[in-house]
């Protein structure tokens, strides 16, 4: 498996280079943050809540809410990836699964938006974080960032519902959602 993992990292590094990731300040860390959020959060059961009709107990999660949450989580993932703390990814897991804190600029909590699938969301997030933590121990720090960035390879840089680096660096009001 070690040889396959090394080949995957070499491939990922090449693809990320073609995307211009290494030409941007902290580009690899931003790409890894984006990849983590895609894998751990965006492309999981929360997508079911996003596309489903609201219920009497679950709030509607329109595109703007999903975009705001993804933007906030990507910023948090970027900060976590800049930490040198052991088990740093489990802090990201706690942020993803916090049921009580109101999501910035969203007007609700995970409980409000995920009612009915909270258990599925928790299983998915926990499984993905555990997988990334396993590979983080196996890889050199920069290689881990390449590995973490891999889920975003092949997606649009401005994938609807996911922020761009420019969105994340801005300090103004929440960016407007856009179609990619």
């Amino acid at each position: 498996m070690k040889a396959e993992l090394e080949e995957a990292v070499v491939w990922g590094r090449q693809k990320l280079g073609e995307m211009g990731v290494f030409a941007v300040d902290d580009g690899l860390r931003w790409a890894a943050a984006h990849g983590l959020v895609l894998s751990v959060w965006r492309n999981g059961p929360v997508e079911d809540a996003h596309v489903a009709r609201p219920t009497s107990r679950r709030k509607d999660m329109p595109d703007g809410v999903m975009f705001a949450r993804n933007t906030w989580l990507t910023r948090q993932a970027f900060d976590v990836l800049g930490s040198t703390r052991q088990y740093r990814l489990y802090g990201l897991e706690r942020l993803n699964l916090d049921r009580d804190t109101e999501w910035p600029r969203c007007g609700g909590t995970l409980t409000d938006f995920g009612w009915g699938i909270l258990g599925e969301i928790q299983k998915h997030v926990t499984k993905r974080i555990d997988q990334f933590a396993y590979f983080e121990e196996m890889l050199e720090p920069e290689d881990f960032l390449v590995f973490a960035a891999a889920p975003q390879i092949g997606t649009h840089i401005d994938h609807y519902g996911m922020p761009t680096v420019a969105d994340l660096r801005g300090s103004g009001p929440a960016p407007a959602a856009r179609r990619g």
Side-chain angles (χ1 to χ4, degrees):
M1 176 159 134
K2 184 75 171 163
E4 291 172 345
L5 185 56
E6 289 171 2
E7 286 177 28
V9 169
V10 168
W11 176 85
R13 190 176 301 283
Q14 176 190 348
K15 293 297 179 188
L16 292 169
E18 292 169 7
M19 293 171 67
V21 165
F22 300 107
V24 176
D25 288 342
D26 291 323
L28 180 56
R29 193 166 73 159
W30 280 117
H34 189 264
L36 279 172
V37 172
L38 278 172
S39 183
V40 171
W41 176 254
R42 178 69 165 90
N43 295 337
V46 76
E47 180 65 19
D48 297 335
H50 173 54
V51 299
R53 293 177 185 220
T55 67
S56 61
R57 305 222 36 194
R58 187 180 66 242
K59 291 176 87 170
D60 186 29
M61 192 186 313
D63 294 333
V65 167
M66 190 66 152
F67 185 82
R69 178 64 174 177
N70 293 338
T71 301
W72 183 80
L73 282 173
T74 303
R75 178 68 219 196
Q76 302 313 304
F78 178 83
D79 291 345
V80 164
L81 290 171
S83 168
T84 58
R85 290 188 347 223
Q86 188 176 19
Y87 308 117
R88 63 190 176 166
L89 294 177
Y90 293 102
L92 186 60
E93 178 183 19
R94 283 190 299 279
L95 286 171
N96 274 275
L97 297 177
D98 182 337
R99 294 182 182 203
D100 299 320
T101 301
E102 188 167 314
W103 294 358
R105 299 181 178 165
C106 296
T109 66
L110 177 60
T111 302
D112 295 328
F113 294 112
W115 187 264
I117 60 165
L118 290 169
E120 292 303 312
I121 292 171
Q122 181 175 0
K123 283 190 271 186
H124 176 82
V125 168
T126 298
K127 179 181 177 183
R128 295 290 190 206
I129 291 291
D130 285 345
Q131 289 171 336
F132 277 107
Y134 172 80
F135 286 106
E136 184 175 30
E137 288 185 14
M138 292 182 63
L139 295 166
E140 294 297 319
E142 186 170 305
D143 289 346
F144 173 70
L145 292 179
V146 170
F147 178 82
Q152 75 141 346
I153 295 172
T155 65
H156 311 350
I157 290 173
D158 64 346
H159 175 71
Y160 190 57
M162 287 300 294
T164 66
V165 171
D167 295 330
L168 295 162
R169 288 187 179 162
S171 58
R178 66 203 178 287
R179 297 215 180 264

